[in-house]
Amino acid sequence: MKKFWNFIQNEDTSETELLFNGPISEDTWWGDEVTPALFRDELAKVSGNLTVWLNSPGGDVFAASQIYSMLKNHKGKVTVKIDGIAASAASVVAMAGDETLIAPTALMMIHDPSTCATGNKKKKKKAIILLDEVKESIINAYETKSHLSRNKIAKLMSDETWLNAKKAHEMGFVDGILFAEKKKPFPPEEEEENPDRKKEDEDKEDSLTAMTYSKSRNLSAFLSKVSASAEPVKGTTIDQLEKRLALLKY
């Protein structure tokens, strides 16, 4: 049997690390009594905190489900670190972290489950029903971690959604980004009150007020010019003057 996981001891921290590199179970765990038991036995030997390094394109959904449950049941803190890709079933394992982090260059991908079905129409209908239930079970894991609505998650899965580190963080699939520096923003400089500048601002406001269009003011000025002209405008009503004045607007 070829293992797809590896438990190692970190010499610097003395903590145990679990490495997932490559597909999660190339053979199904469904009905397999050996592989799940072997993984459970190795995990049981870890008494403290556990760091899971995840770089996998996915694999068997039932294996991912059991690994998710085993990690969630672990007594120590589980930190999942996605350093390459967590796609398909591997993204389900990523949801098991008490804290899930992703490298800035890593990716996450979620999609609808798939299977191969043979047999008659009735058996294929059963396969469709199974896929629907498997999808709902996967949504449970995503929903618990991200707190997104089930409808939103279901659509993301149907669309086969790829998420970079920032997007995965924004949507709540991960709790943070690895190696991110926490930069403190510079406090805004307080501007000293300048009397001269205040006077300039007031002058600008007066100037703007003077340039503001006023119908009554312009109409009065226009009537003054008409009344002062050598040839008064005979038979011109106020409405006609207003229409002429309207043509002068910018």
Side-chain angles (χ1 to χ4, degrees), residues 54 56 82-87 102-109 162-165 168:
L54 187 57
S56 171
I82 305 168
D83 58 347
I85 184 173
I102 186 171
T105 55
L107 290 169
M108 179 179 286
M109 187 272 281
W162 288 83
L163 304 169
N164 64 51

Side-chain angles (χ1 to χ4, degrees), residues 68-219:
Y68 171 89
S69 299
M70 293 178 194
L71 292 176
K72 292 294 287 184
N73 194 51
H74 183 65
K75 293 181 180 180
K77 179 183 178 182
V78 175
T79 302
V80 177
K81 296 183 178 181
I82 305 168
D83 58 347
I85 184 173
S88 191
S91 66
V92 176
V93 174
M95 300 299 102
D98 297 310
E99 184 180 23
T100 301
L101 306 172
I102 186 171
T105 55
L107 290 169
M108 179 179 286
M109 187 272 281
I110 63 175
H111 67 164
D112 284 342
S114 61
T115 188
C116 293
T118 59
N120 57 29
K121 184 178 179 180
K122 185 176 180 180
K123 288 186 177 181
K124 290 187 177 181
K125 281 184 177 180
K126 285 185 177 181
I128 293 173
I129 293 172
L130 174 61
L131 286 176
D132 288 340
E133 291 304 315
V134 169
K135 179 173 181 174
E136 290 298 318
S137 69
I138 294 172
I139 290 175
N140 289 338
Y142 293 147
E143 181 185 26
T144 301
K145 187 69 171 179
S146 69
H147 303 295
L148 294 173
S149 70
R150 298 184 71 84
N151 288 338
K152 174 71 173 178
I153 296 170
K155 187 175 188 311
L156 291 172
M157 293 175 67
S158 296
D159 292 343
E160 188 178 302
T161 302
W162 288 83
L163 304 169
N164 64 51
K166 288 187 177 181
K167 197 69 176 177
H169 187 208
E170 289 172 2
M171 300 188 76
F173 289 104
V174 299
D175 302 299
I177 299 176
L178 288 166
F179 323 120
E181 295 181 3
K182 295 181 179 180
K183 298 180 179 180
K184 295 182 179 179
F186 290 101
E189 296 183 1
E190 295 183 1
E191 295 185 2
E192 296 181 0
E193 188 173 349
N194 188 335
D196 294 335
R197 184 169 183 178
K198 186 176 181 181
K199 180 67 169 58
E200 291 177 3
D201 292 340
E202 290 176 353
D203 292 341
K204 287 180 180 178
E205 289 179 4
D206 292 341
S207 177
L208 288 171
T209 302
M211 289 189 292
T212 304
Y213 173 75
S214 171
K215 182 176 179 180
S216 60
R217 185 182 303 170
N218 284 277
L219 180 58

Side-chain angles (χ1 to χ4, degrees), residues 15-66:
E15 291 187 357
T16 303
E17 296 185 352
L18 171 59
L19 309 181
F20 285 106
N21 271 312
I24 294 177
S25 183
E26 294 182 359
D27 299 321
T28 182
W29 275 28
W30 197 351
D32 187 350
E33 297 177 356
V34 178
T35 310
L38 181 60
F39 181 88
R40 184 183 292 107
D41 290 342
E42 291 190 24
L43 179 60
K45 296 176 183 178
V46 181
S47 57
N49 297 336
L50 176 66
T51 297
V52 180
W53 289 94
L54 187 57
N55 178 34
S56 171
D60 178 29
V61 67
F62 298 108
S65 175
Q66 280 195 295

